Amino acid sequence: MEALVIEGGVRLKGEVLVSGAKNAVLPIMAACLLTDGECVIRNVPDLRDVRTMLKLLDALGVDIDWRGRELRLRAKRIKEPVAPYDLVKTMRASVLVLGPLVARERFAKVSLPGGCAIGERPIDLHIKGLRQLGVEVDLEKGYVIADAKRLEGSIFAFDKVTVTGTENLIMASVMAKGETILENVAQEPEVWDLVEVLKKMGAKIEKLDVNAVRIEGVERLSGFEHEVMPDRIEAATFLIAGAMAGEEVLVRNAIKEHMVAVLTKLSECGVRMEFLPEGIKVYGCDRIKAVDMETFPYPGFPTDVQAQYMAMMCIAKGTSVITENIFERRFMHVAELRRMGADITVEGKRAVVRGVKKLKGAPVMASDLRASSSLVLAALVAEGNSKVSRIYHLDRGYEKFDEKLRKLGARIWRVKEDA
Ligand code: UD1
């Protein structure tokens, strides 16, 4: 295992390029299962989750050719429509093959993902939605078995907004017989990046007024070429890094329209930013103001930026209350931030963060993807050295995070865990 060693107190300066979005590329890769045509995906980030998805696609019989940022996928034939536990347990997003397999093969056997560090994370709504489309769904020995002989257009309203649930149901409907209306669908930009791909493939999808989509099933879909949108969560992470530890950092490719809630919060905190055609420039802020924040589905403040925001609130002037409304256990970073001298108390879904003048470097442990980056941000401004262990979590979703920070001047090294 690897860890990151970080020397705190160095100011960041320069520019950083945002990679393709993890949460867009994964469903787009799954969409290749809908066609026997060639699918060309560009701006593909080299992430552990992308490699896991490739393993799964490989097991399903997909031809893979990955060169640099370009990935060519071709699912001429599906070997066996099964997503095994081994792969699903390492990455919950593996469940994204369920919708496409149901649509193409009219059958799928996908392992149930189970809980994870940040909460229960059931897929009951994916299953309910499929049943509404006429799919027979059974749960057997930890697997979802979906038999879609009678896949028919229908209507379905999600009880709760779910990102991968929306994506699965849209992909299941594109080749169903007749019309489907899905309501209370997730509005995340990554969902619309996928929809754009599906339209390129020949799917008929129309966005309706009230968080709804209308899908007209078609007989078959073709291949596509697509460039993945930039990762707004990575962009937000670097903006927060710049505010906390920067002199001046240009986050290239950050799209302001995708991150208005985060940008509003940053400016309430007193962070100065410039919106440029090539990205967003952020200036280091000596007196970050403590401002309350609550996570919500898009366009609200993303749960995937909650931990990084908390790292910033740890050194802000004053007290802030952070409310996590999406995942019930997403405060695993709190105990580790405390080890660095942060003053945080948690009551249920609320964390009260009293800003301190200085954090102190310490050995800490990453518990999930975004918690990892928040610990790195805290370490950048802490006094002395920190060691963040278990960074395989970080590598799941950030491409070359340490290398990008090093280019900005950070003193950060990757070491073997026992070094
Ligand atoms: C996606 C993102 C993840 C992000 C999350 C919330 C991907 C690959 N991952 O995860 O980075 O943190 O959205 O923005 O895009 N829920 C149910 N039943 C279901 C499905 C979800 O109760 O069938 C609940 C979940 O437990 C959670 C909430 O709905 O409380 C939102 O989860 P969801 O949007 O589904 O998260 P993911 O799609 O797994």
Side-chain angles (χ1 to χ4, degrees), residues 251-319:
V251 184
R252 254 184 205 279
N253 274 3
I255 299 181
K256 66 173 187 289
E257 290 79 356
H258 289 172
M259 40 199 311
V260 175
V262 170
L263 299 175
T264 305
K265 234 0 116 178
L266 285 175
S267 78
E268 274 182 69
C269 293
V271 176
R272 196 156 69 84
M273 288 168 290
E274 255 178 80
F275 303 122
L276 305 167
E278 64 272 28
I280 302 175
K281 194 180 259 186
V282 61
Y283 294 90
C285 185
D286 292 335
R287 291 175 66 81
I288 294 169
K289 271 187 266 171
V291 178
D292 295 349
M293 183 277 280
E294 280 196 48
T295 62
F296 287 110
Y298 191 86
F301 194 101
T303 172
D304 284 353
V305 188
Q306 179 255 106
Q308 301 89 312
Y309 185 81
M310 187 181 289
M312 183 171 76
M313 286 300 98
C314 288
I315 54 157
K317 197 170 155 20
T319 299

Side-chain angles (χ1 to χ4, degrees), residues 23 121-126 160 162-164 304 326-327:
N23 288 352
R121 305 187 76 176
I123 57 159
D124 55 315
L125 298 171
H126 305 225
K160 194 171 175 180
T162 154
V163 176
T164 49
D304 284 353
I326 311 291
F327 293 114

Side-chain angles (χ1 to χ4, degrees), residues 1 7 54 57 115 133 136 230 238 243 247 254 295 304 321 337 349 394:
M1 271 198 277
E7 184 186 313
L54 283 175
L57 295 179
L133 295 175
E136 270 178 42
F238 278 111
E247 267 179 41
T295 62
D304 284 353
V321 180
L337 289 170
K349 62 176 191 171
L394 189 77

Side-chain angles (χ1 to χ4, degrees), residues 32-49:
C32 85
L33 296 167
L34 289 163
T35 174
D36 59 6
E38 190 181 47
C39 305
V40 184
I41 313 175
R42 304 210 168 87
N43 198 27
V44 174
D46 188 356
L47 302 172
R48 212 159 61 96
D49 275 6

Side-chain angles (χ1 to χ4, degrees), residues 153 170 173-181 202-206 213-219 221:
I170 292 179
S173 317
V174 286
M175 290 196 284
K177 205 165 145 234
E179 181 187 270
T180 301
I181 308 267
K204 292 199 173 142
I205 307 172
E206 185 193 350
V213 286
R214 178 192 292 131
I215 299 150
E216 184 65 45
V218 296
E219 286 279 310
L221 295 175

